[in-house]
Amino acid sequence: MKNFQEMPLQPRLKQALAANEFITPTPVQTQAIPPALDGDDVIATAQTGTGKTLAFLIPMLEMLSQVPVGHVNALVLVPTRELAIQVHEQYEKLRSKKCAPAALIIGGLSEKDQLRQLKAGARVIVATPGRLEDYMRRKLVNLKFICVLVLDEVDRMLDMGFLPAITRILAALPAERQTLCFSATLEKSVQHLLTKCTRDAVRIEIGNILKPAELVELAAYEVPLMQKRTVLRELLADEPGKTLIFARTRRGAERLARDLARDGFSATMIHGDRTQSQRIAALNGFEQGRYQILVATDVAARGLHIGHVLHVINYDLPNMAEDFIHRVGRTGRAGLTGRATSIVSGAEMIELKRFEKALKLKIERKTVRDEVASEASSKTISITRGRRDSNTLRSRTLTRLPGEIFA
């Protein structure tokens, strides 16, 4: 199907899709939506940024138009609060005025508001497993009439230790239901769970899920530890678009964002120690352009759709090769070009080579100019790097601030 208007959908849903400028389905949408509309279980894997959220929301909304009103009929389980909020927002954009708002059940937000959504007749629940299970224990939610279950980023939920909660939630659902599973990866540990909760599922795999999008330019600077912060600032000084920087720890993200803001960059941060309102404000500010830079731990690496990120920088490498792909997947989304740069030192150089071997990637190496190799005692530092639109190399000089300490 060349466009959504050719799909057998209710007129109101087609109008909502057109109003939100959803015209042409992505490959995962083209393959997953038809069997889901037929009522089949679906297990779909695809790279990040390929449109998996819309691939399950469309058949869900179509189902809701055909089921009597009065109960919660659909449940979407996701690993993180941020992803739950984004799925909820997408649902709200597409639902008709006659369909009640979805109930968003996550930690960090007002329980009073969430219960009010349920009592107002919500037919869809978007939830994280831990908070939903808490509501189940307290008998605040009724899942006996669920017709469609969506497990979004199921592998990430298992990585985060949600398997016991998911198992208990599944036991509370009707046996007769449709199950849709969407993820960026589908490892053996996940397959066992999906075998239990699906029946004769249609399997869909789009592209190589353990490779970044083809339009992402991969590069790495191998530098001494004392030069990492300087190289980062040099990259940012010449960056015209949104940049997402990954740090390994919450404390590291906090320190890095604070130092960048002190140096005059428009930066904010997101990590697990921030309150939900702080995390929402940071994501919205970055999405809307109030901040050019978002410093994050891996809480932001999976599932989130942050539009038009031009550059992803790994200030610290992740622990796993798969997480490298998920981080890089924040750029080069929906057919756009992007850049992904890693700044590595010491043992990270060995880790980077391990990632290349495991993922069958070739990452271009870029180096600090030899004449400034002793940066720790120098007043200035220059790095040589390539322009995306030229084969020529250039160098720039970044002046060190008085008393500045690189760490």
Side-chain angles (χ1 to χ4, degrees), residues 95-394:
R95 73 175 177 88
S96 69
K97 293 182 180 179
K98 293 185 177 181
C99 189
L104 182 64
I105 298 180
I106 60 175
L109 295 181
S110 168
E111 183 176 291
K112 183 178 179 180
D113 291 341
Q114 296 177 28
L115 293 176
R116 184 169 62 246
Q117 291 171 346
L118 287 171
K119 292 178 181 178
R123 303 184 63 198
V124 175
I125 291 175
V126 181
T128 49
R131 189 60 179 265
L132 179 61
E133 190 181 25
D134 174 56
Y135 276 38
M136 289 168 57
R137 282 195 300 263
R138 295 156 58 194
K139 302 187 185 303
L140 297 175
V141 63
N142 183 2
L143 304 179
K144 294 181 180 179
F145 298 93
I146 295 295
C147 299
V148 176
L149 166 67
V150 176
L151 298 175
D152 192 19
E153 300 292 352
V154 61
D155 55 335
R156 179 62 170 163
M157 286 193 281
L158 298 192
D159 288 343
M160 296 173 67
F162 283 131
L163 178 58
I166 293 173
T167 300
R168 288 187 285 268
I169 292 169
L170 290 173
L173 301 179
E176 293 296 323
R177 65 169 190 274
Q178 182 183 27
T179 303
L180 308 176
C181 302
F182 291 80
S183 184
T185 62
L186 193 60
E187 300 172 359
K188 292 181 179 179
S189 59
V190 180
Q191 293 176 6
H192 179 68
L193 172 64
L194 298 187
T195 299
K196 283 186 173 183
C197 68
T198 61
R199 293 179 299 179
D200 300 321
V202 176
R203 298 294 296 267
I204 297 167
E205 182 174 320
I206 305 297
N208 188 330
I209 58 178
L210 286 181
K211 285 189 178 297
E214 293 182 0
L215 296 178
V216 176
E217 175 188 309
L218 300 175
Y221 284 99
E222 296 183 347
V223 301
L225 179 62
M226 295 295 288
Q227 293 182 6
K228 288 187 74 169
R229 193 70 57 87
T230 304
V231 172
L232 174 64
R233 282 199 298 269
E234 167 68 14
L235 292 172
L236 294 174
D238 193 42
E239 186 57 75
K242 293 180 185 176
T243 299
L244 178 57
I245 303 174
F246 282 104
R248 180 171 291 182
T249 66
R250 300 171 184 179
R251 183 178 179 183
E254 190 96 23
R255 182 172 60 247
L256 188 58
R258 184 187 65 242
D259 290 349
L260 289 173
R262 181 200 63 190
D263 291 343
F265 292 101
S266 176
T268 188
M269 69 189 122
I270 177 173
H271 56 71
D273 280 346
R274 305 212 84 193
T275 67
Q276 191 60 38
S277 60
Q278 288 174 324
R279 292 158 76 170
I280 293 172
L283 284 172
N284 288 342
F286 184 60
E287 180 73 33
Q288 296 165 10
R290 293 196 300 273
Y291 301 101
Q292 180 192 3
I293 299 165
L294 176 64
V295 183
T297 54
D298 280 311
V299 69
R302 293 293 295 273
L304 292 183
H305 174 69
I306 304 172
H308 306 293
V309 174
L310 180 63
H311 198 176
V312 169
I313 298 177
N314 289 311
Y315 187 77
D316 300 315
L317 288 182
N319 292 319
M320 299 176 61
E322 291 83 356
D323 289 333
F324 180 87
I325 293 299
H326 298 313
R327 288 183 178 188
V328 170
R330 300 305 99 205
T331 188
R333 298 169 70 90
L336 301 176
T337 59
R339 298 166 57 200
T341 302
S342 299
I343 307 175
V344 296
S345 62
E348 286 184 319
M349 298 179 186
I350 299 174
E351 283 296 291
L352 188 67
K353 292 178 182 178
R354 183 174 66 84
F355 288 175
E356 285 182 301
K357 183 177 180 180
L359 300 171
K360 297 181 173 59
L361 294 177
K362 179 60 179 177
I363 300 173
E364 179 186 0
R365 300 299 197 272
K366 297 181 179 182
T367 59
V368 176
R369 288 173 53 177
D370 293 339
E371 60 264 34
V372 290
S374 58
E375 182 273 343
S377 62
S378 173
K379 294 296 182 182
T380 64
I381 178 172
S382 299
I383 70 172
T384 302
R385 55 184 289 251
R387 296 285 294 180
R388 294 178 58 202
D389 56 351
S390 173
N391 291 324
T392 62
L393 295 176
R394 67 180 188 87

